[in-house]
Amino acid sequence: RWEDKTRIVHANILYDLTKGGDNPNRHYANNKIKTTKYTLLSFLPKNLFEQFHRFANVYFVFIALLNFVPVVNAFQPELALAPVVFILSVTAIKDLWEDYRRHRSDKEINHLDCLVYCRSEKRYVEKYWKEVRVGDFIRLRCNEILPADVLLLSSSDPDRLCHIETATLDGETNLKQRQVVRSFIDLVSFDPLKYNSVIECEKPNNDLNRFRGYIIHRSGKRDGLYKDNLLLRGCTIRNTEEAVGIIIYAGHETKAMLNNNGPRYKRSKLERQMNVDVFWCVIILLVMCLFSAIGHGLWMFQYGDKRPVFDVLSPEGTELSPVVSAIYLFLTMIIVLQVLIPISLFVSIEIVKICQVYFIHQDMELYDEETDSHLQCRALNITEDLGQMQYIFSDKTGTLTENKMVFRRCTVAGVEYSHDANARRLAMYQEMDSEEEECTSHGGTLPRRDSVTSHQSGKVVLRSQSTKSHRRTGSRAEAKRASILSKHTAFSSPMEKDITPDPQLMDKVNECSSQMEFMRFHSQSLNQIPPDLCDVFDFFIALTICNTVVVSSPNQPRQKVRRYELKSPVKTIEDFIKRFTPSRLTSGSNNSSSSSLATNRSSSHKVGCSMLSSPSAESTLTKLKEEKRPEHDLQHAFSPVPPNFDKTKALAQDECELRYEAESPDEAALVYAARAYKCALVGRLPDQVTVELPHLGKLSFELLHTLGFDSTRKRMSVVVKHPLTEQITVYTKGADSVIMDLIRPATDDCKGKRQRKILYKTQNYLNLYAADGLRTLCIAKKVLSKEEYASWLQLHLEAETAIQRREELLFESALRLETNLQLLGATGVEDRLQDGVPETIASLRKAGLQIWVLTGDKQETAINIAYACKLLDPEEEIITLNADSQEACAVLLKNSLQYIQKKFLCNPRPDPQATRDYAGIHFSSPMCSPASSGHSSPFLVHRLGLVIDGRTLAYALDKSLEDDFLAVARSCRSVLCCRSTPLQKSMVVKLVRNKLKVMTLAIGDGANDVSMIQVADVGVGISGQEGMQAVMASDFALPRFRYLQKLLLVHGHWCYSRLANMILYFFYKNAMFVALIFWYQFYCGFSGSSMVDQWYLIFFNLMFSAFPQLVTGTLDKDVSAETLQELPQLYMNGQNSEEYKPYMFWMNMIDAFYQSLICFFIPYFTYVDSDVDLFTWGTPITTLALFTILLHLGIETKTWTWMNWVSIGFSIALFFIVALCYNASCPACFSPSNPYWTMQRLLGEPIFYLLCVVTPIAALLPRYL
């Protein structure tokens, strides 16, 4: 129920004089934020609890505690705790430092100032953010950051709007508009003391794009509340001098805080493999301990009833049986051999990954100067996965292309206007860009390819081209800085806005305008204008007003309009009746053919004088009075300028000053195109759009409704009151695939035949545009009668005021309106391919990566771009799957499989000409020779390209067909999915990842790519024109697609190679050292004794041999960056896990045991008959083991730097310094054994130096061979 999901907010000033317990808002969260995890008291227990979630830490603590048991202890109990305490301490210090930084940030934010209304002082007073509560009235000033989620009740803007920047929430630097709550719009000034309403709204949630509720006034009247009334915490007030609101959500209940999920955390493939080998280490440890326990039991058993002199009695003084002794020895050996499980491996891997990320960030070749943005790494623990990718799934628009639209050509009323001069102009710009790139590029970047484009299905959000790319780092200062830097208008470069008009179309526009001017003076009916000229006029009017572009001039504040939701300035049916009475909507004005010029003039003047805010009843009455003025007062209704004024110069001057700011690059391109034909958008208000036309001057269209674009409808519409005809007209633009289905069926009369001819010709031109790679949009209109509009409006207002299912009802309302349209024409817009995309795709393909493009574009356009970016090769055969039903899809898939098997299994070397002849055939009938199975050659990739549209893809992803689809797709070299929805994108990625068990990477730049990015093993976001939604959902963020080549082929290869070798080296090093103690057990009755001093045993892996492997794991390069890019085939090593195969672990174990045998027995036979004590023999073994391990690392190191030499020298020096100091300061530490002066004596013996030379060489001899 709605009541169970709401919160009620009262104004706090009503309860200032009462006790705090009476305030109904007291249960809501305060505005103090706390992102820290710990307090001084909770840090130690909470941090330890978190660290013990890692099984390895629990294991080592158990071993350390086991050492406190006297019967089984092997070392000094305190010393045994040292390694685990060190590891836990390092992690705890890191966590403490991170938490302290969060604490400082929280303190800084909580102590920011804001103005809150105080009842006692009757004014706004300054308070800290942390003191603000739900229900407080707050005054906001320009450039101020919002401290909480605020319901907007007043604004200094004359239209009662408030402009905000949401860069810290969604990364979008464009401004958005928010509106004052409907019932407070008419207030000149807001007085908090007069506020007596109650707000009921939904409970806190993290949906940034939704807010529902209503405000209940004392009279009982309810007004709906929507997301356009809510200002979110973290946003910045822009271009609005002052605003007042009431706080709805505070602190951790704000939408910004509920969306703060922190960094993404994933487990890499290498880490999963490593965990298997850790398990094998545990098995080896248990086997060694069990072997030692059995050996000890047998050793004790051979003495029978005679107890050996070295036997240790139980704590009770009784003798232990061999079986009990064996059990105790088993536990002791676990303590002694615990080093076999690499305790420091996990910490070392974390350190190395952080260092790797740092060096990736420092790579200046991954820096984009145009957007001033670097690569971002948002998931710190999967860097090595970059070197093991097998499938890449890419979006197209904005990822492979620039998403910067340039108008190229159009068709109006079935006539195509090629704009050849404009094409030559664009070619000139392209040549200039190429020359500039060749002069400034590093090593000569290839010139741009032919520009290509397509229609995009996702929501497009403008980012200023001149604005430095803002990345969400949590810093509000950066967001503010990014906004201030936005001094220019996006899509306003000469290439994008200085469109050269087509002479033929320009003549028609001038002819249409001159005829309308002629009619103005002769009061003739508009139906005398030829239909083709009417279509031209309406076409450009639609281009100009069917958008959300905001107009400003350089000396005006920068503004951008929000993307309108399905919202209307017409508030009630009564309002509609008043505004559209018979005196205004006469019978003559309902039909374009019989509209009189007098009525047109009256309407034009009336709209031009209308109020800026949404009309009220009073303003409507004023307008009705204006309509009764005599006609001679309206002689200049069409043009407010004097007759002798040079309109051409004035228009040119205005155009020089105007600039357009859009949320979509398509909108900007089309508005600039209309302006090139002297149909200029000169002003936009919430209820009015003003257009300037040649000869006619300024016309103001009353904006009744804006039905915003969404990815389901794939179109947007505006409902306007036409100033010339007084008719209610719907202008619609959208994807041709949906608009063509909404066109009114043609009749058999002359008008119907003309419409049918236009439809046919336009469709042919659309196909040509798509073949040229242009992004296509269809333009249509519809004229509503008064009765039709009233009927639709009633249901629309009900949908608008609904609390539940509001979005669904508004969607259905838009569908009801957008039917029986009249086609006006279509446009072709170009989207240039990003630099380096063809080369990048070719290089990635050589690296063995399968590349799939998943796009919402139409099929022809997508294929054209696929050829341009070398995804598809002209020599490849293209299999096209287009099905109208699931049964047809099943037949197509089956026939495709049969064809692939017949052609490639029976004829491995097909004739190229046959391949070309067959290309593009739709498999609609069975092949002549069926094959046995579609899964017989699943791993062979052929020179085939697969193209599938969205509807067929929906059928193919069904459980019954997904295996067949996958069998076809994986046999193809390239896959292109067209007209795919965001959900289908994620389903395709999930299907490939789960069924084929391969590593997947998804890359995209928009909100429609988020689900695909999150499903893949590695998600990459492009910080492009569509905001930062994809970046915030990704693991890595790139400024451009071309940087993916170096990220994968170079850094991915290095990260994988380094970590794989480091992990194997860890296992080898620990096993080699532990095996030394195991061999000694054969000479000490398997008693658990050790010839290595316990200090060396504990700190050998932790200190003496730790640093060199960290340096190698961070800096080693098996192949240079240049070679890796020149030979992409080297990347296949990572794909096939060549650096870390299961057998490599066992080879390392065998090598470790061999080396330990050499390091054990050479010193053993050297001192076998001497009188040296245990540690005088054991210390050389430790030294030789250290030298062998470091020399082994040196052999494995591919690239030597000064840091490698320093780290190895430091390790050796540290060992000898510790040994000398320890042996000099411990005369009687472990009686009867005595380590005193051991190292000092050894350094004076020549045999020791001989051992240090001979033993490591002998141990590593197989490596040399």
Side-chain angles (χ1 to χ4, degrees), residues 417-479:
Y417 303 96
S418 59
H419 291 74
D420 294 331
N422 192 49
R424 289 193 294 271
R425 179 186 69 90
L426 292 175
M428 181 184 68
Y429 280 115
Q430 197 160 324
E431 289 173 8
M432 290 169 60
D433 285 348
S434 299
E435 291 172 5
E436 184 179 345
E437 287 163 17
E438 288 171 3
C439 294
T440 59
S441 63
H442 301 286
T445 306
L446 290 174
R448 294 177 189 266
R449 289 293 187 269
D450 292 337
S451 302
V452 287
T453 181
S454 75
H455 179 74
Q456 175 189 349
S457 67
K459 174 183 174 184
V460 182
V461 181
L462 170 74
R463 295 181 68 249
S464 175
Q465 186 181 4
S466 62
T467 303
K468 301 301 183 185
S469 176
H470 170 66
R471 292 173 289 161
R472 186 182 180 191
T473 59
S475 168
R476 292 187 176 86
E478 289 188 23

Side-chain angles (χ1 to χ4, degrees), residues 953-1238:
L953 184 61
Y955 301 138
L957 292 173
D958 185 81
K959 289 288 184 185
S960 60
L961 297 179
E962 61 181 18
D963 290 333
D964 289 340
F965 166 66
L966 210 51
V968 173
R970 71 187 303 187
S971 301
C972 298
R973 186 164 168 260
S974 307
V975 177
L976 183 62
C977 300
C978 314
R979 297 291 193 197
S980 51
T981 64
L983 180 60
Q984 285 178 334
K985 291 182 179 182
S986 64
M987 290 174 68
V988 169
V989 176
K990 191 183 296 184
L991 177 68
V992 172
R993 189 195 67 189
N994 295 342
K995 289 279 187 178
L996 302 185
K997 307 297 181 187
V998 292
M999 295 292 288
T1000 57
L1001 180 147
I1003 180 168
D1005 72 318
N1008 58 330
D1009 303 316
V1010 168
S1011 56
M1012 171 177 75
I1013 286 171
Q1014 291 178 332
V1015 164
D1017 293 294
V1018 173
V1020 178
I1022 300 286
S1023 49
Q1025 299 286 322
E1026 296 193 38
M1028 302 286 279
Q1029 298 96 323
V1031 168
M1032 291 188 291
S1034 66
D1035 304 306
F1036 298 88
L1038 294 174
R1040 299 279 179 178
F1041 180 83
R1042 68 174 182 267
Y1043 298 133
L1044 187 65
Q1045 177 179 342
K1046 186 168 187 185
L1047 179 65
L1048 295 184
L1049 303 190
V1050 178
H1051 292 292
H1053 175 88
W1054 283 345
C1055 289
Y1056 168 72
S1057 176
R1058 291 163 177 167
L1059 276 168
N1061 285 298
M1062 191 185 85
I1063 291 170
L1064 289 172
Y1065 177 78
F1066 250 104
F1067 288 130
Y1068 145 78
K1069 182 188 71 170
N1070 289 20
M1072 187 268 196
F1073 190 64
V1074 163
L1076 295 171
I1077 303 167
F1078 181 71
W1079 305 135
Y1080 178 62
Q1081 301 308 306
F1082 289 90
Y1083 296 91
C1084 68
F1086 297 98
S1087 61
S1089 301
S1090 173
M1091 73 293 186
V1092 179
D1093 189 283
Q1094 57 184 343
W1095 279 81
Y1096 301 149
L1097 195 61
I1098 293 296
F1099 292 107
F1100 186 87
N1101 283 303
L1102 208 59
M1103 291 172 55
F1104 303 144
S1105 61
F1107 301 107
Q1109 64 200 13
L1110 293 180
V1111 173
T1112 302
T1114 303
L1115 301 177
D1116 197 31
K1117 299 175 183 178
D1118 57 341
V1119 187
S1120 68
E1122 294 76 15
T1123 305
L1124 286 170
Q1125 294 194 78
E1126 290 172 4
L1127 298 173
Q1129 295 84 352
L1130 295 174
Y1131 185 79
M1132 295 181 187
N1133 287 343
Q1135 290 178 328
N1136 302 325
S1137 299
E1138 297 289 346
E1139 302 280 351
Y1140 197 117
K1141 294 248 182 220
Y1143 77 86
M1144 291 181 173
F1145 169 79
W1146 296 107
M1147 291 297 293
N1148 271 271
M1149 289 292 109
I1150 294 170
D1151 197 14
F1153 281 101
Y1154 162 75
Q1155 292 183 23
S1156 65
L1157 284 169
I1158 298 297
C1159 291
F1160 180 84
F1161 281 105
I1162 288 181
Y1164 174 78
F1165 288 117
T1166 301
Y1167 293 104
V1168 66
D1169 290 324
S1170 66
D1171 57 353
V1172 298
D1173 62 70
L1174 185 67
F1175 290 153
T1176 304
W1177 170 56
T1179 302
I1181 292 178
T1182 308
T1183 308
L1184 298 176
L1186 179 64
F1187 285 167
T1188 303
I1189 285 170
L1190 293 179
L1191 189 58
H1192 181 108
L1193 180 64
I1195 294 173
E1196 293 292 318
T1197 302
K1198 313 297 191 306
T1199 305
W1200 282 83
T1201 66
W1202 64 269
M1203 291 190 69
N1204 294 88
W1205 292 104
V1206 168
S1207 64
I1208 290 177
F1210 175 76
S1211 294
I1212 294 172
L1214 181 65
F1215 171 74
F1216 279 104
I1217 289 170
V1218 170
L1220 290 170
C1221 293
Y1222 169 61
N1223 290 161
S1225 60
C1226 194
C1229 292
F1230 311 111
S1231 181
S1233 300
N1234 185 7
Y1236 182 70
W1237 219 247
T1238 301

Side-chain angles (χ1 to χ4, degrees), residues 363-553:
D363 188 346
M364 292 307 295
E365 291 186 19
L366 297 180
Y367 166 74
D368 187 60
E369 190 173 357
E370 182 182 347
T371 57
D372 188 28
S373 54
H374 287 270
L375 173 140
Q376 287 184 68
C377 181
R378 297 172 54 83
L380 301 178
N381 56 329
I382 57 171
T383 52
E384 66 272 29
D385 276 350
L386 292 172
Q388 296 182 277
M389 290 297 110
Q390 294 164 286
Y391 277 75
I392 294 179
F393 299 89
S394 175
D395 177 40
K396 186 193 70 63
T397 305
T399 303
L400 302 179
T401 63
E402 293 277 6
N403 200 15
K404 294 179 181 178
M405 309 302 172
V406 182
F407 182 84
R408 280 296 302 268
R409 55 205 301 181
C410 66
T411 171
V412 186
V415 180
E416 207 272 332
Y417 303 96
S418 59
H419 291 74
D420 294 331
N422 192 49
R424 289 193 294 271
R425 179 186 69 90
L426 292 175
M428 181 184 68
Y429 280 115
Q430 197 160 324
E431 289 173 8
M432 290 169 60
D433 285 348
S434 299
E435 291 172 5
E436 184 179 345
E437 287 163 17
E438 288 171 3
C439 294
T440 59
S441 63
H442 301 286
T445 306
L446 290 174
R448 294 177 189 266
R449 289 293 187 269
D450 292 337
S451 302
V452 287
T453 181
S454 75
H455 179 74
Q456 175 189 349
S457 67
K459 174 183 174 184
V460 182
V461 181
L462 170 74
R463 295 181 68 249
S464 175
Q465 186 181 4
S466 62
T467 303
K468 301 301 183 185
S469 176
H470 170 66
R471 292 173 289 161
R472 186 182 180 191
T473 59
S475 168
R476 292 187 176 86
E478 289 188 23
K480 184 176 178 181
R481 200 178 309 121
S483 177
I484 293 171
L485 287 171
S486 298
K487 298 178 181 177
H488 307 290
T489 311
F491 309 111
S492 60
S493 69
M495 183 187 73
E496 292 162 320
K497 73 175 185 177
D498 295 343
I499 296 164
T500 305
D502 185 274
Q504 185 182 356
L505 185 56
M506 191 72 207
D507 290 343
K508 286 195 176 182
V509 172
N510 287 329
E511 183 183 353
C512 180
S513 301
S514 62
Q515 287 196 26
M516 288 187 173
E517 186 181 33
F518 177 82
M519 290 177 183
R520 180 183 65 174
F521 292 107
H522 296 81
S523 301
Q524 293 182 7
S525 175
L526 292 177
N527 68 341
Q528 296 183 19
I529 299 178
D532 59 331
L533 292 184
C534 281
D535 286 350
V536 169
F537 178 79
D538 281 323
F539 177 82
F540 283 106
I541 290 295
L543 292 190
T544 308
I545 69 175
C546 189
N547 51 61
T548 57
V549 175
V550 168
V551 187
S552 63
S553 59

Side-chain angles (χ1 to χ4, degrees), residues 37-83:
K37 292 195 292 185
Y38 312 111
T39 64
L40 287 175
L41 292 176
S42 69
F43 171 72
L44 198 59
K46 196 170 182 180
N47 186 262
L48 288 176
F49 178 76
E50 289 176 353
Q51 291 202 56
F52 287 155
H53 276 72
R54 179 174 282 174
F55 175 75
N57 289 340
V58 176
Y59 165 78
F60 286 110
V61 169
F62 168 74
I63 296 297
L65 294 177
L66 191 64
N67 200 62
F68 279 83
V69 180
V71 179
V72 297
N73 74 330
F75 312 124
Q76 276 186 303
E78 301 80 10
L79 193 60
L81 276 174

